[in-house]
Amino acid sequence: MRFFFSRHIPHFRRVLLVESGSRYLVEGLLPGIYSKFSQGQKVDLVTCFPGLPKGFDSSRGQVYRVTDYSGSEARTRFYSLLRAQGYEITGIICSGEPIMTKWKWVLAWQVQAKVFILNENGDYFWFQKSEWRTIKHFILFRAGLSGSAGVSTVLRVLLFPFTFTYLLLYAAYFHLRRIARI
């Protein structure tokens, strides 16, 4: 996660997209990336889906499938391969779907590039210190702690130990009563 403390946005010569959400998100993102930047740009894709997304130009990038890198040694080689590519930008989809959850964060850490996060609405933000409010809101929203739902979630978390203790005592009372009758 290079450039976290910097607002500097590097050139888009080498981009790694991590398809860790619905395919339509990457399909909507690719035309914009290809149209704004030069022909020398390379866009590589890490995915778990079969086939290629619509609009992916195979002559301007490569597809890596996570299923090809099972096992600790294979993953270590994969991370080294990606680091050697010299990516300036890594794009991660965080759409609230449990697709490649561990992979996307490990890749964001392992690949030394500026990270942007794309949500399910097609909005994105840079993962950098100056965006801390956006990042905080994003995390709270994903955890169910924003808006009116946040109050009820916090109350449930706070009341859980008392509820659990009550249920244990209730069950113990009736089991002991039953044993005492025998």
Side-chain angles (χ1 to χ4, degrees):
M1 286 192 257
R2 210 167 83 191
F3 301 120
F4 178 76
F5 294 104
S6 169
R7 291 181 143 197
H8 171 70
I9 307 298
H11 296 290
F12 278 68
R13 288 185 302 267
R14 298 281 306 187
V15 179
L16 177 67
L17 293 177
V18 181
E19 191 177 19
S20 54
S22 296
R23 179 151 272 184
Y24 76 89
L25 292 167
V26 168
E27 291 173 346
L29 180 65
L30 284 171
I33 290 178
Y34 286 139
S35 68
K36 289 185 180 181
F37 303 102
S38 67
Q39 291 290 26
Q41 174 199 31
K42 297 206 41 115
V43 178
D44 293 340
L45 179 71
V46 176
T47 186
C48 64
F49 297 118
L52 296 175
K54 292 178 195 166
F56 184 79
D57 187 355
S58 298
S59 66
R60 292 174 68 182
Q62 186 174 355
V63 175
Y64 299 102
R65 304 206 186 285
V66 294
T67 54
D68 297 339
Y69 301 99
S70 59
S72 179
E73 287 181 22
R75 283 191 301 272
T76 303
R77 278 186 279 120
F78 181 52
Y79 302 147
S80 297
L81 171 71
L82 292 179
R83 275 194 299 273
Q85 297 295 326
Y87 296 109
E88 286 96 10
I89 305 290
T90 299
I92 297 175
I93 297 174
C94 292
S95 59
E97 302 166 297
I99 300 172
M100 289 177 43
T101 304
K102 292 177 186 172
W103 274 100
K104 65 182 161 190
W105 295 114
V106 169
L107 289 173
W109 183 259
Q110 292 288 333
V111 177
Q112 298 297 308
K114 183 79 170 186
V115 176
F116 73 88
I117 296 174
L118 180 75
N119 69 10
E120 62 272 10
N121 301 325
D123 302 326
Y124 74 94
F125 61 90
W126 293 101
F127 191 74
Q128 60 191 15
K129 181 183 164 198
S130 62
E131 296 286 337
W132 71 270
R133 286 184 180 96
T134 306
I135 295 168
K136 181 183 102 176
H137 176 72
F138 187 75
I139 291 169
L140 290 174
F141 183 78
R142 288 286 183 247
L145 298 174
S146 67
S148 62
V151 174
S152 64
T153 303
V154 170
L155 285 174
R156 278 184 283 183
V157 168
L158 291 175
L159 290 175
F160 175 75
F162 301 109
T163 306
F164 187 69
T165 303
Y166 171 76
L167 291 173
L168 279 177
L169 291 173
Y170 185 80
Y173 170 75
F174 280 103
H175 284 292
L176 289 174
R177 235 176 89 182
R178 189 182 61 162
I179 291 172
R181 287 186 193 160
I182 297 177

